[in-house]
Amino acid sequence: MIPLPVSDIDRARDFYRDKVGFHVDIDEEVMPGMRIVQLTPPGSGCSIALGETLWEMTPGPTPSPGAYQGLQLVVADIEKAHADLVARGLEVSEPVRYSEADGATFMYFTDPDGNGWAVQEYRKRATEPLHRLLTEQAGA
C-alpha cells in the first residue's frame, strides 16, 4: 500500500474511483478519528491509501499534497487503457512509444493535487499476469 498525500480525501477518492477506475476497498473510520480510504487499480496487488491522520502512523516527514511524482501503473494494452481513461473523463496524455521494446510506451496524468502518474504498456502482462508469476515463484 502506498499512502498518497492529498488535500481533500473525498475529491481524491472520487477522482481515483470515477476517472481512473480504481476499486474502493475501504472507506471508513477504522478507529476513532482515523478515516482511511483504500483504493486498488484493476488487477493490481498494490493499493493507495488516503487519510488525514494516516501520516501520524508513517515514519518520516509528512509530504505535501501533490508531492509524489513517478507513480506507475502497468497495462497490457495502452491504446485500450487510453480509450477507457478518456471515456471516463480523465485528462491523460497520448501514449508515447520511446522504442519498440516491450515496456517502452507510456502515457501520463496527474490527480487533482498534482501527484504524477505514468501508465506503462507491458504487453507481456497479457499472457504472463504478475499474480501468476508471483505464485509460481512462491512455489504454490
Side-chain angles (χ1 to χ4, degrees):
M1 177 179 58
I2 299 169
L4 192 65
V6 298
S7 61
D8 182 320
I9 294 170
D10 291 323
R11 179 181 71 172
R13 178 206 56 215
D14 294 351
F15 172 82
Y16 283 103
R17 180 192 63 210
D18 301 339
K19 301 254 183 191
V20 189
F22 286 16
H23 179 263
V24 178
D25 302 318
I26 300 169
D27 183 353
E28 62 187 67
E29 188 174 49
V30 294
M31 51 208 266
M34 180 181 250
R35 176 183 174 206
I36 297 291
V37 176
Q38 179 178 318
L39 301 108
T40 303
S44 178
C46 186
S47 302
I48 60 170
L50 315 171
E52 293 168 351
T53 56
L54 183 65
W55 301 103
E56 295 170 11
M57 300 177 66
T58 307
T62 299
S64 300
Y68 283 12
Q69 300 300 311
L71 296 160
Q72 188 164 309
L73 300 168
V74 176
V75 298
D77 182 339
I78 204 160
E79 296 297 335
K80 180 181 180 308
H82 184 266
D84 290 346
L85 293 172
V86 168
R88 290 177 161 280
L90 181 67
E91 290 184 29
V92 59
S93 72
E94 291 292 325
V96 176
R97 188 170 307 280
Y98 294 101
S99 82
E100 291 303 314
D102 195 12
T105 302
F106 292 84
M107 60 185 172
Y108 306 92
F109 69 90
T110 57
D111 73 10
D113 285 298
N115 292 301
W117 289 83
V119 180
Q120 176 191 34
E121 179 182 70
Y122 192 46
R123 295 179 305 271
K124 192 173 190 175
R125 286 292 165 250
T127 57
E128 294 183 23
L130 188 57
H131 70 278
R132 185 181 313 147
L133 294 174
L134 294 174
T135 301
E136 290 170 4
Q137 287 177 358

